[in-house]
Amino acid sequence: MKPKQTYLLLILSFLLLQACVNKDCGCVAPPETGISYFYTSIKQFTIYEVQEIDYSLTQNPSIKNYQIKESVASFFTDLDGKETLRIERFKRTTENEAWQIDSVFTAKKRSNEALKTENNQTFVKFVFPLYENQTWDGNAYNALGKDDYTVKKLHQPFSIGNKTFRKTATIIQQDDSTLVDLKKRIEVYAEGVGLIYAENKDLTYCNKPDCLGKNTIDFGKSFIMKIKDYGTE
């Protein structure tokens, strides 16, 4: 083959490769591992609206509304030589108040899992690659006892208010419901954003004959957190 023909063939091959990378041309796409659902960049921030409700047999429900801001402040190398993110969490009651530091925790992504450490407890938030109905022990790195997490609605859209996130993953940590109680813990993550919704309910229902099965709450706690804003600082 002549040099000129070889040169033209190389150019054509390169252009075809670029078309494959940038457009849907029937090429085999790289596998979606799910790693982009978990803390994607330094200086990333997310603001959440939070509502906490405490139910009591003797008093009216106590309702607290406030905002939380999580900021990926920096990264450092841990004792195992792994890059670890420092996450700063701030809190305020209303938008007119200044943010006050609430806590600091860490997170890290490995090739096969994502870990988050709060109050000296490490939790396995993801195991990669993600797939529908996948299950793992979220407490594999702590002494709290086995706690199975399950992936549902993988890469499906999820809406919060006027925001719709095209690709999300719902992680079911617990979802047990009976006539007399409800124990539910779920987290929803969006691609390129991270956590967008969290729900934690531990409720005990009235079990008297006149209210059994009506989901009338006797006591317990409800925590719901919804994304309000996100971006890069």
Side-chain angles (χ1 to χ4, degrees):
M1 184 179 293
K2 297 180 179 179
K4 184 175 181 180
Q5 292 175 320
T6 303
Y7 180 70
L8 291 174
L9 181 60
L10 288 173
I11 291 177
L12 180 60
S13 299
F14 175 77
L15 292 175
L16 288 173
L17 179 61
Q18 288 298 103
C20 244
V21 170
N22 296 320
K23 297 181 180 179
D24 183 9
C25 66
C27 303
V28 177
E32 292 188 273
T33 63
I35 200 167
S36 60
Y37 286 120
F38 190 74
Y39 294 115
T40 58
S41 63
I42 298 293
K43 302 304 179 182
Q44 170 189 352
F45 75 88
T46 311
I47 297 174
Y48 304 96
E49 297 279 6
V50 180
Q51 183 177 80
E52 284 189 58
I53 306 178
D54 286 344
Y55 297 91
S56 169
L57 281 170
T58 59
Q59 298 178 348
N60 291 328
S62 172
I63 302 175
K64 297 179 181 177
N65 294 294
Y66 55 92
Q67 292 184 344
I68 282 178
K69 177 182 178 182
E70 288 189 358
S71 178
V72 184
S74 60
F75 70 90
F76 61 94
T77 302
D78 67 9
L79 296 177
D80 297 325
K82 303 295 184 181
E83 182 178 292
T84 302
L85 298 174
R86 172 189 166 93
I87 315 296
E88 295 178 347
R89 180 177 291 163
F90 302 86
K91 186 178 179 180
R92 67 185 180 187
T93 304
T94 68
E95 292 188 8
N96 296 325
E97 293 181 354
W99 291 107
Q100 301 294 325
I101 188 72
D102 179 73
S103 57
V104 175
F105 57 93
T106 61
K108 68 177 72 175
K109 287 189 282 190
R110 297 174 175 171
S111 60
N112 64 327
E113 60 189 1
L115 308 178
K116 184 177 181 180
T117 301
E118 296 182 88
N119 301 317
N120 295 319
Q121 301 286 357
T122 299
F123 301 94
V124 184
K125 291 298 185 178
F126 293 101
V127 169
F128 305 123
L130 289 179
Y131 56 86
E132 188 73 13
N133 296 319
Q134 178 185 16
T135 298
W136 66 89
D137 181 9
N139 288 342
Y141 292 96
N142 62 52
L144 298 177
K146 188 175 182 181
D147 191 15
D148 285 339
Y149 292 6
T150 303
V151 180
K152 293 292 185 180
K153 300 179 181 178
L154 183 61
H155 306 322
Q156 298 301 308
F158 189 91
S159 296
I160 299 176
N162 61 357
K163 294 182 175 64
T164 297
F165 299 89
R166 190 173 64 86
K167 280 190 176 182
T168 68
T170 297
I171 310 300
I172 307 295
Q173 300 174 353
Q174 186 177 18
D175 192 5
D176 300 322
S177 178
T178 69
L179 289 176
V180 297
D181 65 11
L182 171 67
K183 298 182 184 297
K184 184 177 183 180
R185 293 178 290 123
I186 69 171
E187 294 181 341
V188 181
Y189 294 80
E191 184 181 51
V193 180
L195 182 66
I196 60 171
Y197 179 85
E199 180 177 342
N200 189 338
K201 292 183 177 180
D202 188 354
L203 305 174
T204 298
Y205 299 130
C206 175
N207 59 8
K208 296 177 182 178
D210 60 339
C211 58
L212 182 65
K214 296 182 179 179
N215 294 347
T216 302
I217 300 171
D218 269 352
F219 58 90
K221 294 180 179 294
S222 171
F223 174 93
I224 294 179
M225 185 167 73
K226 302 177 181 179
I227 191 169
K228 175 181 172 60
D229 194 14
Y230 63 97
T232 303
E233 295 178 312

